[in-house]
């Protein structure tokens, strides 16, 4: 399924007809549609264009051409400006975007919600020693804090609004003035509370949040951790739940943090620290869609069974751009044991293979963000900063996925042809 860094595929769910699994599916579906998680996903998606812009300048600065480094050296500092303005301020943009989206969902004045969250986040990022902003907190290291602050501030805003603890001016006052005074009391409350916690009590909020999430941040860059994630995403899709949406609110900030750290390491000429940075899963695992279903379409494009053949031919053009809903719901793969097994298995194989190749430094780790709709092989080349070995691995990934799907696809084909023959005989 098309992955999005952040869950850009519309959520769809197909629950089992009976059994305890139905309640499990319903619970996971409700979780994936949760208001706060949905706002986090929306906020993370909104900053993707920024990382793509920063990535374009990274490609220019580190073009894999012999002698390019010498030629570009006089302009390197200029090229770093857009990178710093995007990756270096990611947490600020995320805080604003989540605050805006959640404000809309909770029926608040969205621009005020976003401004309040950003104000509090910037305030707690001030260094008391010299009253300047801590740039580390404004980038990837402050992402979780930015998310938390956005959620808390909008929730407090709604608390005051619902209980009418606000200043209301006459209705004939201009809307912008009316709304600004409406938010004054909750804003004062938030500023005072966070000022007391951060500066009077001396609690480093960002450090506390970072420590709380550090086990998860560590786990997702390990092979067992990313395999678990791949298994969960494909398993959820297999029962009809948008696995990317369900997981993105938790993992998207982490993968984006990894990407930013890799970008910083690249600019400093250091080894890239993270394998599973943003782009690893969407490019190296979701080859032609989650579960590498482009391979299934290629196998069945000349199937003897008319239905499989038609769906494969319709689906293939969209799968080139990582969109595989036609084949996923058309075959179907969802709740179909014959296809569910290779679907999950391919994700695990490609996750393990890509991880190990990067861990052994055979192919480059991701440090350039590209749109998730970038076709396979091309995406492999761009995400890795122009590594031709990554592009070769992209082509091999499709072949590997075809080998995994082949016996299951042919079994399903025989099964359907047999059923059609039996049906014709009865008629």
């Amino acid at each position: 399924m098309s992955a999005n860094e952040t869950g850009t595929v519309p959520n769809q769910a197909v629950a089992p007809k009976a059994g305890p699994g139905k309640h499990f599916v319903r619970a996971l579906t409700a979780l994936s549609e949760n208001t706060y998680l949905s706002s986090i996903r929306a906020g993370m998606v909104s900053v993707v264009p920024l990382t793509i812009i920063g990535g374009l300048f990274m490609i220019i600065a580190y073009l894999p051409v012999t002698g390019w480094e010498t030629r570009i050296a006089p302009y390197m500092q200029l090229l770093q400006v857009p990178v710093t303005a995007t990756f270096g301020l990611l947490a600020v943009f995320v805080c604003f975007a989540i605050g805006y989206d959640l404000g809309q969902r909770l029926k608040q004045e969205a621009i005020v919600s976003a401004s309040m969250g950003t104000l509090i986040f910037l305030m707690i990022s001030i260094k008391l020693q010299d009253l300047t902003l801590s740039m580390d907190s404004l980038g990837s290291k402050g992402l979780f804090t930015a998310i938390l602050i956005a959620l808390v501030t909008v929730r407090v805003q709604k608390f005051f609004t619902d209980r009418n603890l606000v200043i209301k001016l006459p209705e004939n006052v201009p809307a912008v003035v009316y709304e600004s005074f409406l938010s004054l009391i909750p804003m004062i409350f938030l500023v005072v509370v966070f000022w007391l916690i951060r500066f009077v009590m001396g609690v480093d909020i960002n450090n506390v949040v970072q420590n709380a999430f550090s086990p998860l941040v560590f786990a997702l860059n390990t092979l067992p951790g990313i395999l678990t994630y791949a298994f969960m995403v494909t398993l959820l899709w297999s029962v009809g739940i948008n696995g990317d949406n369900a997981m993105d609110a938790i993992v998207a900030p982490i993968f984006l943090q990894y990407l930013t750290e890799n970008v910083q390491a690249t600019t400093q000429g250091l080894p890239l620290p993270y394998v599973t940075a943003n782009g690893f899963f969407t490019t190296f695992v979701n080859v032609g869609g989650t579960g590498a279903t482009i391979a299934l379409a290629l196998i069945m494009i000349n199937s003897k069974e008319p239905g499989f053949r038609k769906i494969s031919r319709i689906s293939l053009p969209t799968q080139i751009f990582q969109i595989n809903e036609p084949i996923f719901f058309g075959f179907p793969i969802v709740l179909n044991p014959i296809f569910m097994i290779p679907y999950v298995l391919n994700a695990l194989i490609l996750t393990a293979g890509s991880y190990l190749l990067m861990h052994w430094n055979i192919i480059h780790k991701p440090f350039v963000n590209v749109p998730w709709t970038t076709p396979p092989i091309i995406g492999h080349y761009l995400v890795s900063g122009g590594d031709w070995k990554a592009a070769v691995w992209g082509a091999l990934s499709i072949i590997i996925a075809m080998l995994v799907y082949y016996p299951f696809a042919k079994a399903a084909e025989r099964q359907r042809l047999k059923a059609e023959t039996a049906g014709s005989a009865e008629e």
Side-chain angles (χ1 to χ4, degrees), residues 247-279:
M247 303 291 289
D248 266 357
I250 301 168
V251 303
I254 298 174
F255 292 153
L256 199 55
Q257 181 176 333
Y258 291 166
L259 180 67
T260 306
E261 295 291 328
N262 281 359
V263 167
Q264 291 175 355
T266 300
T267 59
Q268 296 168 14
L270 300 173
L272 275 59
Y274 294 106
V275 171
T276 59
N278 200 54

Side-chain angles (χ1 to χ4, degrees), residues 291-292 296 333 336-349 401 404-409:
L296 182 57
I333 294 173
N336 185 341
I338 294 179
F339 288 119
M340 284 169 62
I341 294 170
Y343 179 77
V344 175
L345 190 58
N346 264 323
L348 297 178
I349 291 172
V404 173
Y405 272 120
Y406 187 83
F408 296 91

